[in-house]
Amino acid sequence: MDIPYTVEERSDTGLFNAKLGIWLFLASEVMLFGGLFSAYIFLRFGAPDGAFHEWGQELNIPLATLNTLILISSSVTMVMSWASLKLQDIKKYKLYMGLTLLCALVFLVIKYLEYTAKFDHHIFPSTNTFFAIYFTLTGLHGLHIIGGMIVLFYLWIPGRKMWLSNSEQFTNRVEIVGLYWHFVDLVWIFLFPVLYLL
Amino acid sequence: MSTNHDTKDIQQHIKVYMIVFATLAALTVATVAASYLDLSRGEAIFLALAIASIKGSLVASYFMHLISEKALITWILMLTAVFFFILMLFPMTSFIDQAQLG
């Protein structure tokens, strides 16, 4: 039996099912990160005056700025991969999806360099409350990047064969993972100033 | 297959994506530059979060197509936003408690 509403829209929601599903999932993700942002505010107010700003000076702003630009670029290549499918250009899709994965990989490598530099300076989550929430937030964000990369890779190579059998459903799949990917970018857009600049 | 109308529509979208990309990159540089300004802590937090909110709105509106999305999704997100702000207010309760305890 076929799964209903993978392409056609339901008359009651006006959406194909996966679109509604991913937005509900993203709403739950807002609350997940919201809980941790709430914890950040709590810890910041609870720390001695100016301590969070001072502890944050240990972080590498140029590297984080570069990572922000890389993640924004990956959002553009992601949306371009979807647009390429809409234009029936599978070659460009492959190129843009590959670039998205490359950006994600570079982001993780930079994050690895940042983490190892901290560990080399004996800075760990247990060092103080700032680094406890820093490692928690950036670690959870990094896990989201890794999870996204697994799905992106699937749609880049093994899952691409669906383009031949059901191009509309495949395009919808790419749109759905794109929404997730943009959300991960959006979270970083707030993490960057909150952790590195304030 | 896509029609000519669809193709023109998507090509128009692509132009918008490029403009949004350039704006996001410029705002990222502006965020970093603003952090070096001689501002009070409150002003710096307000400015950084204001720029981040603009960037976030651009991503949500154009890359996530919220600007042209169905009403149901807008309602879901508005409900989420209400709960999100309640969550942000939770830490404040501890400070009210502290103030009452003197």
Side-chain angles (χ1 to χ4, degrees), chain A residues 14-15 19-20 23 27 31 34-35 38 42 45 65 72-73 76 79 82 86-87 179 182 189-190 192 197-198, chain B residues 2 7 10 17 21 28 31-32 44 52 63-65 69-70 72-73 76-77 80 83-84 87-88 91 94-95:
Chain A
L15 302 159
K19 176 78 82 77
L20 180 60
W23 276 110
M31 298 312 286
S38 184
F42 188 79
F45 279 134
T65 307
I72 289 169
S73 304
V76 179
V79 80
W82 170 80
K86 282 285 188 186
L87 294 170
L179 287 170
H182 300 312
I189 282 173
F190 283 93
F192 172 56
L197 303 176
L198 295 178
Chain B
S2 66
T7 305
I10 296 295
Y17 298 149
F21 175 46
T28 300
T31 314
V32 178
F63 291 168
M64 299 172 92
H65 303 132
E69 202 45 274
K70 295 283 191 303
L72 178 63
I73 288 172
I76 290 169
L77 291 179
T80 310
F83 284 112
F84 179 84
L87 205 51
M88 292 303 114
S94 69
F95 303 109

Side-chain angles (χ1 to χ4, degrees), chain A residues 31-51:
Chain A
M31 298 312 286
L32 171 66
F33 279 100
L36 289 170
F37 272 111
S38 184
Y40 169 90
I41 297 170
F42 188 79
L43 293 173
R44 184 166 183 138
F45 279 134
D49 197 29

Side-chain angles (χ1 to χ4, degrees), chain B residues 13-84:
Chain B
H13 279 192
I14 290 170
K15 281 183 192 162
V16 175
Y17 298 149
M18 293 306 140
I19 294 167
V20 171
F21 175 46
T23 312
L24 289 172
L27 286 173
T28 300
V29 175
T31 314
V32 178
S35 71
Y36 291 101
L37 293 175
D38 189 20
L39 300 172
S40 70
R41 189 62 46 79
E43 288 168 339
I45 290 172
F46 175 79
L47 188 60
L49 291 182
I51 296 174
S53 299
I54 295 168
K55 287 169 71 181
S57 303
L58 286 171
V59 170
S61 301
Y62 295 100
F63 291 168
M64 299 172 92
H65 303 132
L66 264 187
I67 206 155
S68 55
E69 202 45 274
K70 295 283 191 303
L72 178 63
I73 288 172
T74 311
W75 282 110
I76 290 169
L77 291 179
M78 281 167 70
L79 188 64
T80 310
V82 170
F83 284 112
F84 179 84

